[in-house]
Each structure stands twice: as C-alpha cells, then as structure tokens.
C-alpha cells in the first residue's frame, strides 16, 4: 500500500499579493467558522479513502491557514485524525505569513500538533518586500522565524522569492546571507513568476513593471543555488533545499508520483491514478459541501503519454532523477537528439536513472520537453516503423 | 438570337473602382436578377477573392436588354481578373469581347493597371466606352478624371459617362451606349467551329467547365470537338449559357458566349487562350494569341510535419484541378526533407496558393524564399534553366547568369515621383523616361529585374506614395549580370531553403540583414545557434542566438501539476511547429524572414 498525503487549502488572506495566482479571498473573514465546518464535512465524506496506517503527511496551505483561529485549525486537524488517521511520525505542516501571525500564535500551532511550519518570508530586505507588495517587513519575517523556534518548531521552511522586478543581485545576496545565518531546516527559492490574471502580469504587460530578463533570472537562481549548497543544504528539487534528512516529505510525493487527498476550495487530489479538483469558487464550495454534495468540479485520468511526460518532467526536477525502463533507455540512447543532450552536458545516465546535471538544472523544462518529444518519437516509430531517410 | 443583337463586353477598372458594383447594377436593371437575389458583388465567388478584393476567376454572365428602340439585345458581360500577375488571362478575356467599359473612380483617378488593361483592350481593337464612377462621392474630381481619360485615349473620348454605380445613376445611359457603340460580333456561322476558351474552372461533379466565346461556326451538344493546343478530342456533354447559374442549351452560335462540359478531366487540358475546333478538322487555324503557361516565380513548399508530405501532394493535385496556372514537381532539400518546387504567375498568385493550401487543405507549410527563373550559361557553352538557387552549378562552371528583366510602368502623383524613383533605383531599376499624364500625374518607365520585384516591391511603392502609386509590368528579356549565390549556414550546415541568387553589390547588406532577422526569429534553445551568411566559402555576416540560460517553472506542487503539465505540452507543441534542422529548431516564420527584412 502506497503512503498517502493530505492537502487542505485555506483561501483567506488579509490582502491579495500582486503576484499571487492562487485561489485566495480577502474580506471574507466572517466565513472562517463555516469554512472550517465545511472542511470537516468534506474530510468525513472521504473517510473511506483513509489509509490503514494513517496519512504520511498533512499540509495546511493557502492562502493563509493561520487567518483561522487556532481552535478552528485544531478542530480540522482533529477531524483529520478521526476520519483519515495520521501515521506515527507523519509530517504535519502549516503555512504562516509573518505579517499576520503574532508570536503567541506559533506556540498554539505547535501545541495543536503541527510539527513543521512554512513561513512566507519571501525576502529579508525591506525594499524587496515593498516591491513585492507584501504587508510585512524584514524585521517581521525575522520575528516570525524566531517565534517559531521559540514555540518549539524544529522543522522550519522559509519561502523566498528572487528575480523581484526592480531588485538587484546584491539584494538577493543579502537575503541569502540572513537566511543562511538563521539556518532553517528547509528553504524554497522561487523565481517571481508572472501568473495569469495577477496585477503584476497586467502591469508588466502595460510596461509599468520592469521585466527581469532571462540572464538576470538565471544569475540569481544559480547564485542562490551555489550559496545554499555551499552552506550545507541539499538541492533536492528545482526550487527546494533542505538540511540532511529534512526534505519535505509531503511535497516529495508530488514530484515522485505519490498519491494525495485534497480538501477545501480549489484543492487538487491524486487518488487511484486519477487527478481531480474542487471548485475554485468559495461560495460554490460552501454551498456544495453544505448541501451534502461533492465540491469536485473536474478530473482527468492521465493517458499513457501524459503520464510518461509527467513522470519524466517531474522526476527530472528532483535530485534523484527519473527511472527509465530498459526499452526506454535503449531507445533514447539511439536517438541523436538525446545523445546531443548527453554530450551537451545537460543530462546524465546513471544505471537505470536519468538525472539533470548542474548545467541542465536551470533549463530543466527545455530538457524535459526535448526528452518527452524523443520518447513520443520512439512510441511513433514503434507503431509505424521509422521515418523515411531524408536525402 | 440574331448575331447583330449580341454585345460582348467587359469592364476595365482598377481594384475598388467599382467594377463589381456596376456589374450588380447592370444585372438588376436588365432584370437578370432582383435585388434580393443579389448577393453583393456576384461576380466574385471565392472567399479569398472577396477578402483581397481581386477577381481571380473570370466568369461571364448573359443579360437580356430591351433597347430604347424596343428591340431585345443579348449582352454578355465577361469578367476579367484584376491583377498584374494575370495579364495573360486578362488579355484572353478581352479577346472574347468587342467592347470595353472603361471605369475610373473619380476619387482616385487613372491607375497603372487600368492603363495597362486599357492598352491591351485597345490593341485588340475593342471599342472603349469611358465612364467616370463615384460621382456621388464628395471628394470626386470628375473633370480632372475626365481630363486624364482624354489624355489617355485621345479622340475616342468624345463622350464620357458620369455614373454612380452605387446609386445607379447614368447606368441606363451606359446600357444604351453599349447597344449603340459596341459592334456586334463578326464571324460566320457556316464556317467550321472556332471558339476561344477564355477561362475554365474545375467542378468536382462535372469535371472541367470551359468558358468560351464562339468566334466562327457553332457548337452543339453531342458534337465531337478538338482542343487545338493539346490536340485532344472530346464529345460535348453539355453546352449552355451563363446566367447566374449555368443554363444548358442545344447549341451555341457564332458570337455567343457560354460554357462547355466535355469530359475534360484536368484544367491543364483546357488552357486559357486555346481554340476549340471540329474534331474532324484538325488543321483548322487556331485563334491568335495562345501562349503556353509559363510560371514566373518559384518557391519550395514543404510540410512542417514530414508525415504530411502525402497530404501536401494530394492538396497540390486537388488545387491544380482549380488552378492550372501553377506548376509543381517533387523536390528534396537536405534542410527541409521532401517537398515540391512550385511555379506561379507572380507573388500574389503564390500567396493565394499558399493560403488556399493552409486554409482549405489544412497543411502547415514552410515556404522558401520566392525566386525567379535564371539562365546559366556554363563554361561548356550549355544554357541551363535554374528555378532554385540550390541548383545553381558550381561557380567555376559558370560563364554567366542571366535574369529576367521587366519593363515597368509606375503611375504616381507628381509629389511622389522622387520617392518612387528612389525605390526603383534601390531595386536596381534602370530609368527609361517619365511621361506626364496631366499636370499632377506621371508615368515613370523603368527596366527592373523581376527578382527585385517579387519581394514586396509593390508594397514599398505604395508605402512611399501613401498608397497612390500603381504599378504594372511586362517581360522584356533575359539579361546577364554580376549575380552570386548567397548561402545561409546554421551551425555550419547549409540551410538551402534560405539561399538566394543576388546581385553582388547587394549581397553584403542582404546577408547582414537576413542574419539579423533570423536572430530575431529563431528562439533561444538548448544549444547555441550560429547563423552565417556566405558566398562560396567566404562568410560575410554572422549572428549568434545564445542558448537558454533558464527555462524552468519555479513552483510545481500538487494543485498545479495538471496546469503546469499543460504549459509544458504547449511548449512541446510549439517545438513541433518548428522545423528540426540538425539540433536546431527553426520556426516557420524564419523561412520567410527575407520577405520581412525591412520590418
């Protein structure tokens, strides 16, 4: 039996960050109680999916889960225990934001039963935080980290953003210096991405926001990667770094084909080879669950080609790479486009695993797309014989 | 109908000068169709033509007109294609007429194309009835336009009609003038048949439908006929006249215009300009003016996806059923794989064929740079025709390269003479002379290499003259010049599809700009892409497309996996639309880079 994780989504935020493309709502804090009840109802409704040994990981993300009062979070976590069960030693993570979480709150979170906290610090540089439109300062971020330590969290993640429009390499370096000094167990570094429908994207389109060019973005990414690995962090996924033994088990499952449940508005799940997702609309979500019907809005079962593509692309994002079958391995090795990638130093084959090299990591998507294209060519060749020779 | 009561005519006009609107009015006023039957501008029936405002496929329509004298006349209005690429087709349509209505837009004045078609009409001894159109429009310069017409046709311009095709004013008078001034067709009904094919089209149910004008004798259903140029014999399955639809009859008599269906399988068998004669009289003299089809502009057409090669072949075959004026033959390119070398009447014709292939037959194409046909005199004294730069013999074997030269006329308001001359000279034009049509308009005469005209020359003229310049040409001769082949190399591999034959003095600039344009159009990829332009082994320009520095989605967690996978799938589909050349992917647009070199 495979291990199973659970993701619960909390859409509430005090304000919407201008770069955020997630499902969040602002000014709906009167709905906390109803939302918690709905989550509990949804959890109970899927109790039949509970794994015998309990959940291997639980992740409360958002949005800002800590907008909810601790008693509501506790009620939900209690319902998780009751309906799904949580395995002994499971990783139980909650996301928190420095601007909205006071010091006392961290102790509550620890006490409720969360054993890992992910703090949306984003930057330790006030100008960077202002450029991002965050409602907290560098001092708040520092305070949040210290409060979490004080509350007894010995597994802390800090989320960081680089390639902030208007910020410099030096700003990013300073943030990294602070973070390395703090020595959290886990660090995620994300290049700022202009997501569809965000105010940053609109501003970039109208020329109101400077666009970070590929070269600058690459330099900051590689700079961060080198700084963190030099400080003893394992670079185990494109955007993720951990001290030994501190990889995020919950997220690891996403990248390696693990299955997970998802509850709450817009939550996705992957169960029995089928991916499905809830409605993104909060009133709709509440209405569905309260009426006793499923908030699931859509789903897909991956066809073999999509499954292969996903396996290769996600696997290559990790330090362990992707495992290839013998036929795949031999087929790939015979294709010029593949040997070009190996000779170009983008990927390496180690036994039955294919991994990105240091040179391949910053261009992981381009490499994956190339490899998936070659795999599709192989499948086509197998069906209809090879292409006619080009003169 | 008594031969003396037949009037065969066409309308000579520039695009947008109101030809189709006038045709609509005539059809209405002769009760050939009512206004609610009227699909606007009925003579154009292809979408593409309507969009481009060009009549490519000529048709004819018969109208019954009751004259002021109370007698009934048979009018055959023969439509003419309206672009410089189709001069020969126009000339054959004109040859089927005894008269032409010269229609000039009073807001625009006379244009080069009108002049050239008018000259064609005059050389066929057609009676010209000049009309000034759009007199209802505020900006119309009726007297100025009339002066231009008088300057053009001199004495023949004693009566110029003022009309508004849109409102119908003056059209009644024009119809009457057609009766009075255009002579009835000559020819003798007792002679053996001679009929001019002035157009044809392919119908998927009936095969080829020929449009023809009976010059002598008559053609009846069941008769055995022969096409003079191909010497092939057919039996007439159906013959008839053209109203808005085809109306079968038993016989077409001398002077009449109509259609013929005779089991002709392919358009290439029914050449425009050919003469239909009696099957049992193979020695009958053909009508004058037949010219075998000769493409002027050539381009390689390749499917982006090699799997679609057969689809492209099928599409070309089917398209040729509809358009006998282009040729194709298989060609292979080291860069592009299997494709076809196609010949066209001109650049516009090429664009139309490409668009139809992509739109109607859904084949994604790579089109190589258009080029003209060169003649190469080799050191061994042999003359070779070269339709593709890739097939140019090695430099050491070449004695001289000859290229087609045009004699061109540019009509332009005087204030734009300077800028149009600069464009012509920039395109290696040799100035001949300037003729003033009136105080404000001139005709510039130039010799121009066709190769310099096929790419965007007309667009250039238009843009430097605020759209006022018009342009027309005819072929003059093949002439030797200092021409060289300029190659494009991608990571040291020859990209044959981008090779051009070019004047030595222009090669440096061309190479530099083409490399620059390719750098813009070839996206960053895994590997560095080096673009070089070279003549022989000498590199004259070089650009580099740097490889990706970063290409990875930052966040990828549970909720987003499906969405992010779709982003990657899109990236993959984008790659598939590019042509794989070695380890480099080249987008479709890059192959037409040279056409956009000035953008």
């Amino acid at each position: 039996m495979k291990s199973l994780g659970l993701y619960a989504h909390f859409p509430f935020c005090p304000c919407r960050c201008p770069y955020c493309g997630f499902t969040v709502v602002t000014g709906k804090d009167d709905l906390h109680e109803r939302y918690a009840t709905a989550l509990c109802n949804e959890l109970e409704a899927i109790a039949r999916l509970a794994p015998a040994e309990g959940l291997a990981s639980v992740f409360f993300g958002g949005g800002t889960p800590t907008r909810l009062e601790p008693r509501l979070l506790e009620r939900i976590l209690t319902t998780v225990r009751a309906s799904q069960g949580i395995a002994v030693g499971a990783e139980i993570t909650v996301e928190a934001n420095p601007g909205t979480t006071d010091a006392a709150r961290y102790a509550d979170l620890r006490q409720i039963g969360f054993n890992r906290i992910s703090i949306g610090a984003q930057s330790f540089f006030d100008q960077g935080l202002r450029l991002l439109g965050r409602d907290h300062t560098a001092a708040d971020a520092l305070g949040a980290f210290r409060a979490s330590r004080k509350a007894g969290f010995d597994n802390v993640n800090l989320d960081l953003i680089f390639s902030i429009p208007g910020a410099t390499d030096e700003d990013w370096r300073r943030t990294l210096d602070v973070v390395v000094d703090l020595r959290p167990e886990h660090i995620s570094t994300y290049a700022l991405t202009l997501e569809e429908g965000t105010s940053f994207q609109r501003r970039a389109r109208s020329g109101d926001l400077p666009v970070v060019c590929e070269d600058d973005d690459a330099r900051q990414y590689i700079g961060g990667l080198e700084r963190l690995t030099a400080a003893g962090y394992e670079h185990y996924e494109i955007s993720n770094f951990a001290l030994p033994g501190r990889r995020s088990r919950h997220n690891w499952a996403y990248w390696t084909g693990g299955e997970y449940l998802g509850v709450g508005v817009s939550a996705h799940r992957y169960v029995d080879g089928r991916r499905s997702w809830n409605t993104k609309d909060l009133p709709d979500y509440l209405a569905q669950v309260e009426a006793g019907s499923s908030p699931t809005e859509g789903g897909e079962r991956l066809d073999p080609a999509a499954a292969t593509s996903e396996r290769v692309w996600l696997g290559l994002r990790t330090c362990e790479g992707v495992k290839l079958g013998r036929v795949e391995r031999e087929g790939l090795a015979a294709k010029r486009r593949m040997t070009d990638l190996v000779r170009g130093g983008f990927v390496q084959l180690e036994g039955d695993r294919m991994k990105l090299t240091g040179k391949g990591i910053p261009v992981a998507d381009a490499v994956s797309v190339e490899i998936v294209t070659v795999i599709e060519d192989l499948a086509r060749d197998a069906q209809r014989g090879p292409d006619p020779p080009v003169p | 109908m008594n031969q003396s009561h037949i009037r065969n005519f066409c309308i000579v006009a520039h695009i947008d000068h109101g030809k189709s609107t006038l045709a609509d009015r005539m059809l209405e006023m002769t009760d050939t169709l009512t206004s609610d039957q009227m699909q606007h501008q009925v003579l154009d029936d292809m979408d593409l033509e309507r969009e481009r405002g060009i009549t490519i496929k000529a048709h004819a329509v018969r109208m019954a007109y009751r004259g002021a004298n109370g007698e009934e006349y048979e009018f055959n209005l023969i439509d003419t294609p309206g672009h410089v690429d189709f001069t020969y087709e126009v000339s054959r349509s004109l040859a089927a007429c005894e008269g032409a209505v010269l229609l000039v837009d009073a807001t625009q004045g006379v244009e080069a194309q009108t002049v050239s078609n008018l000259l064609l009409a005059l050389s066929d001894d057609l009676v010209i009835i000049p009309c000034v159109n759009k007199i209802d429009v505020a900006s119309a310069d009726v007297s100025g336009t009339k002066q231009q017409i008088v300057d053009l046709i001199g004495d023949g311009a004693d009566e110029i009609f003022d009309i508004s095709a849109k409102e119908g004013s003056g059209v009644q008078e024009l119809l009457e003038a057609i009766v009075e001034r255009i002579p009835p067709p000559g020819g003798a009904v007792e002679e053996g048949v001679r009929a001019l094919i002035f157009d044809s089209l392919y119908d998927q149910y009936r095969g080829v439908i020929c449009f023809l004008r009976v010059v002598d004798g008559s053609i009846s259903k069941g008769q055995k006929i022969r096409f003079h140029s191909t010497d092939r014999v057919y039996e007439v399955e159906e013959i008839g006249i053209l109203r808005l639809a085809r109306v079968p009859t038993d016989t077409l008599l001398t002077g009449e215009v109509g259609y013929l269906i005779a089991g002709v399988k392919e358009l290439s068998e029914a050449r425009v300009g050919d003469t239909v004669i009696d099957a049992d009289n193979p020695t009958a003299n053909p009508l004058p003016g037949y010219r075998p089809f000769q493409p002027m502009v050539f381009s390689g057409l390749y499917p982006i996806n090699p799997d679609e090669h057969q689809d492209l072949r099928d599409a070309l075959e089917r398209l040729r059923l509809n358009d006998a004026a282009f040729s194709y033959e298989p060609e292979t390119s080291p860069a592009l794989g299997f494709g076809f070398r196609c010949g066209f009447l001109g650049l516009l014709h090429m664009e139309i064929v490409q668009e139809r292939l992509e739109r109607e037959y859904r084949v994604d194409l790579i089109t190589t740079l258009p080029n003209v046909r060169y003649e190469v005199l080799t050191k061994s004294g042999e003359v070779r025709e070269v339709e593709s730069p890739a097939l140019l013999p090695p430099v050491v074997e070449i004695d001289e390269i000859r290229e087609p030269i045009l004699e061109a006329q540019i009509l332009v308001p005087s204030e734009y003479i300077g800028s149009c001359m600069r464009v012509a000279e920039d395109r290696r034009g040799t100035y001949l002379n300037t003729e003033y049509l009136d105080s404000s308009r001139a005709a510039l005469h130039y010799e121009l290499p066709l190769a310099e005209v096929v790419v965007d020359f007309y667009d250039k003229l238009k843009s430097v003259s605020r759209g006022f310049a018009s342009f027309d040409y005819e072929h003059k001769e093949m002439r030797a010049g200092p021409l060289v082949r300029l190659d494009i190399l991608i990571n040291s591999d020859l990209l044959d599809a981008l090779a051009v034959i070019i004047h030595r003095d222009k090669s440096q600039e061309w190479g530099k700009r083409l490399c620059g344009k390719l750098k813009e159009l070839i996206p960053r990829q895994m590997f560095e892409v080096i673009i070089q332009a070279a003549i022989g082994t000498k590199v004259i320009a070089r650009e580099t497309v740097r490889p990706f520095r970063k290409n990875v989605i930052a966040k990828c967690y549970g909720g987003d996996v499906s969405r992010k996978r779709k982003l990657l799938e899109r990236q993959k589909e984008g790659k598939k639309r590019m042509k794989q050349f070695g380890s480099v992917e080249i987008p479709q647009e890059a192959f037409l880079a040279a056409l956009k070199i000035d953008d």
Side-chain angles (χ1 to χ4, degrees):
Chain A
M1 174 95 194
K2 272 198 205 168
S3 65
L4 192 71
L6 167 76
Y7 176 80
H9 188 76
F10 296 82
F12 306 102
C13 276
C15 58
R16 177 179 271 282
C17 296
Y19 56 86
C20 171
F22 289 112
T23 303
V24 301
V25 294
T26 58
K28 297 275 192 234
D29 292 332
D30 54 315
L31 294 175
H32 290 177
E33 189 93 35
R34 265 180 78 191
Y35 190 73
T37 305
L39 277 187
C40 292
N41 290 346
E42 196 187 355
L43 282 163
E44 279 158 4
I46 57 169
R48 66 194 155 78
L49 298 173
E53 69 279 26
L55 297 165
S57 66
V58 177
F59 197 106
F60 280 23
T64 314
T66 52
R67 282 300 277 179
L68 265 64
E69 280 179 51
R71 66 172 177 91
L72 293 177
L73 294 176
E74 183 172 22
R75 208 172 100 203
I76 298 161
L77 202 52
T78 305
T79 309
V80 174
R81 288 186 203 284
S83 60
Q84 322 292 318
I86 297 179
V88 177
E91 177 188 275
I92 309 170
T93 307
V94 64
E95 285 183 337
N97 278 317
T100 59
T101 320
D102 58 58
R105 194 54 76 86
Y106 291 94
D108 293 335
L109 294 171
R110 184 71 192 88
Q111 209 226 315
I112 290 166
F114 293 102
N115 56 22
R116 185 175 183 270
I117 191 159
S118 174
I119 300 174
Q122 318 308 1
S123 173
F124 283 91
F125 178 59
D126 282 337
Q127 176 64 13
L129 290 166
R130 265 196 298 278
L131 289 165
L132 283 173
R134 297 287 290 184
D135 64 348
H136 66 89
T137 62
D140 292 337
L142 215 57
F145 180 79
R146 291 193 175 126
S148 68
R149 281 289 192 238
K150 208 170 153 203
F153 279 103
D154 61 359
N155 196 359
V156 180
N157 168 57
L158 292 177
D159 274 351
L160 302 176
I161 294 180
F162 63 93
S163 292
I164 300 171
T168 63
D169 286 14
E170 181 53 29
D171 301 337
W172 174 230
R173 237 186 327 265
R174 268 195 270 170
T175 289
L176 290 167
D177 286 345
V178 175
V179 171
V180 166
D181 266 2
L182 294 176
R183 210 156 178 80
E185 286 66 32
H186 192 282
I187 301 165
S188 301
T189 71
Y190 301 118
L192 183 85
T193 308
L194 297 173
E195 300 285 351
E196 203 61 50
T198 59
S199 111
F200 264 28
Q201 195 207 36
R202 280 191 297 278
R203 283 172 54 196
R205 247 183 223 158
S206 65
D208 183 33
L209 188 75
V211 176
V212 179
C213 73
E214 190 179 321
D215 290 357
D216 291 352
D217 184 32
R219 207 174 47 246
Q220 293 195 10
Y221 176 63
I222 293 164
L225 189 161
E226 286 171 352
R227 181 84 177 82
L228 295 177
T229 47
Y233 287 89
E234 178 194 31
H235 182 213
Y236 75 101
E237 194 265 353
I238 293 297
S239 301
N240 290 280
F241 302 83
L243 290 178
R246 297 296 196 155
R247 291 181 191 172
S248 161
R249 280 184 259 153
H250 183 80
N251 291 336
W252 185 256
Y254 291 147
W255 305 317
T256 51
E259 299 203 327
Y260 47 91
L261 304 172
V263 293
V265 66
S266 82
H268 283 56
R269 64 191 68 79
Y270 181 46
V271 180
D272 296 335
R274 187 180 152 76
R275 220 183 275 295
S276 63
W277 48 88
N278 284 351
T279 171
K280 279 187 154 75
D281 181 67
L282 179 59
D284 184 35
Y285 172 79
L286 292 171
Q288 297 285 354
V289 177
E290 284 164 4
S293 60
S294 165
T296 301
E297 180 193 78
E300 60 174 352
R301 186 172 288 282
L302 299 184
D303 61 52
T308 302
S309 142
E310 209 173 282
R311 179 173 61 88
V312 169
W313 153 63
L314 287 174
L316 283 177
R317 289 179 67 92
T318 71
C319 61
E320 296 187 359
V322 59
K323 191 174 162 173
L324 298 176
R326 197 175 66 91
V327 176
E328 256 175 352
R329 212 161 58 233
E330 285 166 6
L332 282 172
K335 285 278 182 180
R336 155 131 191 239
R337 294 172 75 166
M338 185 64 206
T339 51
D340 279 350
L341 288 178
V342 175
R343 231 176 273 144
F346 294 100
V347 285
Q348 58 196 42
L349 291 157
E350 278 176 16
D352 60 353
R353 301 196 82 88
M354 175 170 60
K355 280 188 207 178
L356 292 180
T357 61
K359 184 180 174 188
I361 285 169
V363 292
D365 287 353
V367 176
S368 306
V369 165
E370 184 74 13
I371 291 172
V372 168
T373 307
V374 177
I375 292 177
E376 282 178 4
D377 286 351
L378 286 172
R380 208 192 46 196
D381 292 355
Q383 258 178 15
R384 341 184 313 193
D387 292 341
V390 169
Chain B
M1 177 68 61
N2 187 323
Q3 205 169 318
S4 65
H5 282 56
I6 299 174
R7 298 291 181 273
N8 296 324
F9 66 100
C10 57
I11 302 171
V12 170
H14 192 73
I15 297 161
D16 291 336
H17 278 204
K19 180 169 78 171
S20 300
T21 315
L22 177 59
D24 289 355
R25 282 302 87 67
M26 288 180 166
L27 295 174
E28 251 173 49
M29 291 171 124
T30 56
D31 296 325
T32 310
L33 82 172
T34 61
S35 47
D36 39 301
Q37 274 176 313
M38 173 90 54
Q39 188 197 358
H40 188 53
Q41 298 189 354
V42 289
L43 290 187
D44 295 355
D45 70 355
M46 280 165 70
D47 283 353
L48 213 56
E49 288 173 48
R50 198 161 299 168
E51 275 169 36
R52 289 175 177 259
I54 309 154
T55 309
I56 306 165
K57 275 279 152 215
H59 293 264
V61 62
R62 180 190 285 201
M63 298 174 257
Y65 174 68
R66 189 162 296 279
N69 57 10
E71 291 180 33
E72 187 161 300
Y73 291 85
E74 173 188 320
F75 281 10
N76 288 299
L77 169 57
I78 295 170
D79 200 16
T80 54
H83 188 272
V84 61
D85 286 353
F86 303 98
T87 309
Y88 172 68
E89 284 67 15
V90 172
S91 78
R92 293 307 84 204
S93 292
L94 294 175
C97 302
E98 278 74 38
V101 172
L102 170 67
L103 188 69
V104 182
D105 182 338
T107 68
Q108 302 289 325
V110 171
E111 309 264 5
Q113 206 185 335
T114 320
V115 177
S116 66
N117 286 352
L118 179 67
L119 293 176
L120 283 174
L122 287 171
S123 69
D124 271 337
D125 288 330
L126 265 55
V127 170
I128 308 296
I129 305 180
C131 297
V132 174
N133 191 21
K134 304 198 189 175
I135 56 164
D136 56 307
V137 178
S139 60
D141 174 11
V142 176
S143 63
T145 306
K146 281 187 175 171
Q147 189 54 51
Q148 289 177 7
I149 295 172
V150 171
D151 291 346
L152 263 179
I153 51 181
D155 298 343
D158 49 321
E159 197 189 345
I160 299 175
F161 289 84
D162 293 352
I163 66 169
S164 163
K166 194 167 138 233
E167 293 179 349
S169 64
V171 179
Q172 191 58 51
E173 292 77 0
L174 174 61
L175 290 170
E176 199 53 33
I178 289 168
V179 170
E180 286 166 12
R181 286 159 64 171
I182 296 177
V189 74
E190 62 282 0
E191 295 275 322
V193 65
R194 290 198 306 165
L196 171 69
I197 300 177
F198 63 83
D199 195 12
S200 56
L201 66 79
Y202 180 79
D203 179 287
Q204 57 174 321
Y205 302 109
R206 308 300 310 271
V208 174
I209 299 169
C210 302
F211 299 96
L212 41 74
R213 150 77 192 270
V214 182
V215 177
D216 284 310
S218 64
I219 304 181
S220 301
K221 189 175 168 179
Q223 186 177 340
K224 285 257 177 28
I225 52 164
R226 184 184 297 271
F227 287 178
H228 188 272
S229 79
T230 60
D231 212 28
R232 293 176 75 148
V233 170
Y234 306 92
E235 183 177 323
V236 178
E237 287 169 15
E238 184 177 319
I239 195 153
I241 61 164
L242 297 152
R243 292 222 172 245
L244 287 184
R246 298 188 296 267
V247 181
T249 55
D250 292 332
T251 304
L252 276 186
L253 297 173
T254 305
E256 288 192 309
V257 172
Y259 71 93
L260 167 86
I261 298 173
V264 181
K265 295 282 184 295
E266 288 183 22
L267 274 190
S268 54
E269 297 170 44
R271 288 288 177 193
V272 167
D274 202 355
T275 307
V276 178
I277 54 177
D278 280 320
D280 52 9
N281 186 17
T283 55
N285 285 330
L287 295 162
Y290 174 72
R291 211 165 70 189
F293 159 67
Q294 177 134 42
M296 302 301 298
V297 176
F298 300 84
S299 168
L301 266 53
Y302 291 82
I304 290 191
N305 177 352
D307 295 349
E308 287 181 355
H309 179 256
Q310 188 57 41
D311 298 344
L312 176 57
R313 179 193 297 275
D314 294 346
L316 286 168
E317 252 165 46
R318 268 178 290 156
L319 197 55
R320 222 172 94 85
L321 294 174
N322 285 301
D323 183 354
F326 86 96
S327 62
Y328 67 96
E329 53 189 57
E331 173 183 76
T332 51
S333 147
L336 301 175
F338 293 100
F340 298 91
R341 176 109 301 220
C342 302
F344 308 93
L345 293 172
L347 199 63
L348 174 96
H349 182 219
M350 176 180 118
E351 284 172 14
I352 290 168
V353 169
Q354 276 167 24
E355 263 187 59
R356 291 190 65 191
L357 287 169
E358 298 212 299
R359 198 190 299 200
E360 294 170 31
Y361 299 98
R362 302 194 185 287
V363 183
D364 283 332
L365 290 177
I366 284 174
T367 315
T368 67
L369 250 192
N371 59 268
V372 299
R373 185 199 308 257
Y374 294 90
E375 271 176 22
V376 176
L377 176 65
T378 64
K379 292 253 161 79
S380 58
E382 176 197 355
V383 176
R384 280 194 224 164
E385 290 199 335
V386 172
E387 289 169 6
S388 161
L391 298 177
L392 198 69
V395 181
V396 291
E397 292 175 20
I398 297 176
D399 194 24
E400 64 179 37
I401 304 177
R402 300 171 194 148
E403 63 176 334
I405 301 292
L406 311 175
E407 194 165 316
Q409 144 173 287
I410 302 165
L411 285 201
V412 65
S414 351
E415 64 259 47
Y416 301 111
I417 290 177
S419 34
C420 287
M421 289 177 90
R422 271 192 297 280
V423 172
E425 264 138 49
D426 188 44
R427 299 299 178 101
R428 297 195 279 131
T430 306
Y431 175 74
L432 298 175
N433 59 55
T434 305
E435 233 179 291
Y436 280 87
L437 299 182
D438 57 38
S439 56
S440 65
R441 291 164 67 88
L444 307 175
H445 294 273
Y446 271 92
E447 278 177 5
L448 279 160
L450 177 62
E452 296 281 344
V453 169
V454 292
V455 176
D456 82 349
F457 176 73
Y458 195 31
D459 294 342
K460 266 275 139 51
L461 277 184
K462 284 276 183 197
S463 80
V464 300
S465 66
R466 294 162 152 258
F468 284 115
S470 53
F471 168 69
D472 187 55
Y473 62 77
E474 60 187 58
H475 293 273
K476 188 168 187 182
E477 62 184 13
M478 297 298 286
R479 189 183 294 168
L483 300 167
V484 293
R485 189 175 78 199
L486 182 95
D487 290 322
I488 294 292
L489 298 105
I490 302 287
N491 287 354
S492 310
D493 292 332
L494 195 65
L495 185 51
D496 52 352
L498 282 173
V500 288
I501 293 173
I502 191 168
H503 193 274
R504 186 177 296 124
D505 295 350
K506 297 192 123 194
S507 57
Q508 183 82 33
E509 178 69 10
W510 178 272
K512 231 167 87 186
R513 289 166 83 172
L514 185 52
C515 287
K517 195 74 200 173
L518 288 170
K519 183 191 165 123
E520 272 173 45
L521 293 171
I522 298 177
R524 283 189 176 199
Q525 29 207 290
M526 299 296 309
F527 299 95
E528 183 175 69
V529 181
I530 295 167
I531 305 159
Q532 291 170 307
I535 297 172
T537 53
K538 190 178 162 227
V539 174
I540 59 166
R542 179 195 159 104
E543 292 279 358
T544 304
V545 179
R546 295 175 53 215
F548 283 131
R549 293 287 317 276
K550 187 159 177 278
N551 186 272
V552 62
I553 291 164
K555 280 193 188 191
C556 198
Y557 298 105
D560 258 357
V561 171
S562 297
R563 198 166 64 86
K564 298 272 159 82
R565 189 192 69 239
K566 278 167 195 154
L567 289 179
L568 270 108
E569 273 162 11
R570 222 172 297 155
Q571 196 172 334
K572 195 176 72 202
E573 290 317 306
K575 274 164 87 85
K576 285 199 179 144
R577 281 195 302 274
M578 293 198 263
K579 192 79 197 174
Q580 186 81 23
F581 180 61
S583 57
V584 180
E585 277 146 0
I586 301 180
Q588 200 179 5
E589 311 87 78
F591 293 95
L592 287 173
L595 289 175
K596 299 171 198 150
I597 213 155
D598 295 324
D599 293 357

